[in-house]
């Protein structure tokens, strides 16, 4: 025989049918092995609505729903598929209904937003498997260094590389001054002056951060110009834009859901609704990166548990006295530290309660099953 017959041991497995141009690689293929049963195939979530998803499969985009088991085992919103997720799905021909998502591949990176109660237990995943976070802020009234610090902490905590885009530079009185101020609260971060409306700086941005197969998420408050940026990068008017208020430069939400867009150059961009506030639940590691200057000073303090409140040998207080660290920067760091610590305490309690409710429901269902099968004790 020249080779093994079909179906015998040693035969080469058929290649996985995967969507092209969405960042699939050998590492994702290895991660899919536990789900490769001949029925399921890889797909990437390209849009998420309430209780419904759109998957990119090898034969095109399809509506998708969750398998019952996946929905039942989801303890919190973050356990559900998010835009950018790679999933295992069963998909019959389109005429036979939507694809069924049965598993989510382990996420490489994740960008989260704490819920209104500020806890990680009910946090929302805004985007998954993101390589770079484009933080957009407008220079026409939207500029706020304290908000940028918060975005950076969450971006770093999710494992993504942040890039700050100072948009509407053509409308700023002194854009270079704004860039200098931003560098002061974003050490080590790429800070760029752009104008999405005029197209200034976008070619360099695409070349440096939006190469083929690379996934970016764009974030910022309403009116920062995210939709205008998306349209400019796409080369067409796909996202609706809106005017900003004259009094404060803020705008209404023109994007209403998260969606992954394929850019002409092969990069991938996830758009999100404008965020008026974003919590830092679970962002402890991100705080260290976002406040690297404070962390570096704290490492030089005489005492490892220094609270920077008058202890002898405190490098942070010395930097304050010498003007190398601003009081506002330290105050922002302390505020976000307190917020993250509070969220962690709340999340621990709520997760324990959710786990208790889950196992109580499982126990009740098991007893009822036994009672139906064998009858109840008299």
């Amino acid at each position: 025989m020249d080779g093994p017959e079909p179906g015998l041991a040693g035969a080469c497995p058929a290649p996985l049918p995967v969507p092209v141009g969405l960042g699939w690689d050998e590492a994702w293929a290895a991660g899919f092995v536990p789900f490769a049963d001949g029925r399921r195939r890889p797909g990437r979530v390209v849009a998420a609505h309430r209780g419904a998803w759109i998957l990119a499969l090898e034969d095109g985009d399809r509506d998708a729903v969750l398998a019952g088991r996946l929905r039942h085992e989801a303890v919190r919103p973050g356990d559900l598929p998010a835009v950018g997720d790679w999933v295992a799905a069963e998909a019959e021909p389109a005429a036979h209904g939507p694809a069924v998502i049965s598993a989510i591949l382990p996420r490489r990176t994740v960008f989260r937003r704490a819920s209104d109660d500020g806890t990680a237990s009910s946090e929302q995943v805004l985007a998954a498997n993101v390589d770079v976070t484009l933080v957009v802020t407008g220079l026409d009234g939207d500029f706020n260094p304290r908000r940028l610090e918060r975005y950076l902490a969450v971006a770093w905590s999710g494992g993504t590389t942040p890039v700050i885009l100072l948009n509407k530079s053509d409308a700023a009185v002194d854009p270079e001054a704004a860039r200098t101020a931003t560098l002061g609260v974003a050490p080590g971060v790429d800070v760029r002056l752009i104008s999405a409306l005029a197209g200034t700086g976008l070619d360099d941005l695409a070349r440096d951060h939006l190469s083929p197969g690379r996934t970016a998420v764009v974030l910022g408050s309403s009116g920062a110009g995210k939709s205008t940026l998306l349209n400019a990068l796409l080369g067409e008017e796909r996202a609706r834009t809106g005017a900003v208020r004259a009094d404060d430069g803020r705008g209404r939400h023109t994007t209403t859901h998260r969606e992954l867009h394929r850019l002409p150059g092969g990069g991938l961009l996830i758009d999100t609704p404008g965020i008026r506030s974003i919590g830092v639940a679970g962002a402890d590691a991100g705080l260290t990166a976002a406040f690297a200057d404070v962390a570096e000073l704290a490492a030089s303090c005489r005492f490892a548990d220094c609270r920077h409140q008058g202890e002898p040998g405190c490098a942070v207080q010395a930097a304050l006295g010498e003007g190398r660290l601003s009081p506002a920067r330290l105050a922002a760091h302390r505020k976000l530290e307190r917020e993250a610590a509070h969220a962690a305490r709340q999340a621990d309690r709520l997760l324990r309660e959710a786990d208790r409710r889950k196992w109580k429901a499982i126990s009740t269902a098991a007893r009822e099953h036994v009672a139906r099968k064998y009858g109840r004790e008299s």
Side-chain angles (χ1 to χ4, degrees):
M1 294 178 65
D2 294 330
E5 294 182 6
L8 296 181
C12 295
L16 280 173
V18 298
V20 177
L22 291 178
W24 183 264
D25 56 28
E26 291 183 0
W28 285 120
F32 190 80
V33 169
F35 311 106
D37 56 6
R39 296 178 297 109
R40 293 183 284 191
R41 48 182 168 155
R44 195 168 192 193
V45 179
V46 295
H49 306 274
R50 292 184 181 275
W53 294 264
I54 297 178
L55 281 187
L57 299 169
E58 87 286 351
D59 54 358
D61 293 358
R62 292 271 298 276
D63 290 337
V65 296
L66 293 186
R69 180 175 180 178
L70 182 59
R71 185 181 298 277
H72 177 72
E73 292 179 348
V75 175
R76 51 187 176 178
D79 296 331
L80 299 174
V83 174
D85 268 326
W86 283 100
V87 302
E90 297 180 32
E92 297 292 336
H96 295 131
V100 179
I101 301 172
S102 58
I104 303 172
L105 272 62
R107 292 162 175 157
R108 292 180 181 175
T109 61
V110 59
F111 187 89
R112 296 182 174 93
R113 179 195 181 192
S115 65
D116 292 337
D117 61 12
T119 64
S121 61
S122 51
E123 67 191 5
Q124 182 182 32
V125 174
L126 295 179
N129 304 315
V130 171
D131 301 300
V132 59
T133 299
L134 305 179
V135 179
V136 183
T137 186
L139 296 183
D140 58 347
D142 181 60
F143 183 71
N144 184 327
R146 302 286 81 85
R147 190 190 308 125
L148 289 177
E149 290 167 335
R150 183 176 292 265
Y151 276 126
L152 291 175
V154 178
W156 283 121
S157 70
T160 69
T161 299
V163 175
I164 296 178
L165 304 180
L166 303 179
N167 192 25
K168 308 179 185 180
S169 59
D170 51 342
V173 176
D174 191 346
E176 284 298 334
R179 184 174 184 274
T180 300
T182 303
L183 290 171
V185 301
V189 176
D190 186 4
V191 178
R192 297 179 176 232
L193 290 167
I194 69 165
S195 172
L197 191 60
T200 307
L202 300 191
D203 288 342
D204 291 343
L205 174 66
R207 182 194 65 231
D208 296 339
H209 295 292
L210 298 171
S211 55
R214 188 169 171 84
T215 302
V217 61
V218 58
L219 299 164
S221 58
S222 301
K226 301 185 307 301
S227 295
T228 303
L229 174 63
L230 173 62
N231 288 335
L233 290 171
L234 286 170
E236 60 180 279
E237 295 290 325
R238 191 177 304 178
R240 186 166 61 92
T241 60
V244 298
R245 297 191 295 263
D247 55 345
D248 60 2
R250 304 298 293 277
R252 295 186 178 91
H253 297 296
T254 53
T255 300
T256 58
H257 64 278
R258 288 168 291 282
E259 185 173 353
L260 185 149
H261 301 271
R262 291 93 154 173
L263 300 179
L268 306 163
L269 186 64
I270 299 175
D271 193 18
T272 63
I275 301 173
R276 291 192 174 91
S277 63
I278 186 164
V280 294
D284 292 355
L287 284 175
T288 300
F291 291 87
D293 51 343
V294 179
E296 183 178 358
L297 288 168
S300 300
C301 290
R302 180 183 302 175
F303 302 107
D305 60 349
C306 183
R307 300 179 62 189
H308 322 307
Q309 295 179 348
E311 295 89 342
C314 177
V316 172
Q317 289 295 326
L320 283 173
E322 296 168 4
R324 292 183 287 115
L325 179 67
S326 73
R329 175 78 167 160
L330 180 59
H333 180 246
R334 286 172 169 165
K335 178 182 178 181
L336 294 184
E337 271 192 327
R338 291 193 300 269
E339 184 178 325
H342 173 73
R345 291 192 298 270
Q346 287 290 97
D348 185 62
R349 177 180 62 82
L350 293 174
L351 283 173
R352 287 199 304 270
E353 291 178 357
D355 193 58
R356 179 181 57 80
R357 290 193 299 269
K358 174 183 176 180
W359 285 107
K360 182 179 179 180
I362 292 173
S363 178
T364 299
R367 287 198 303 270
E368 291 179 350
H369 173 74
V370 170
R372 287 193 300 269
K373 186 171 183 179
Y374 300 105
R376 298 183 184 275
E377 296 182 358
S378 57

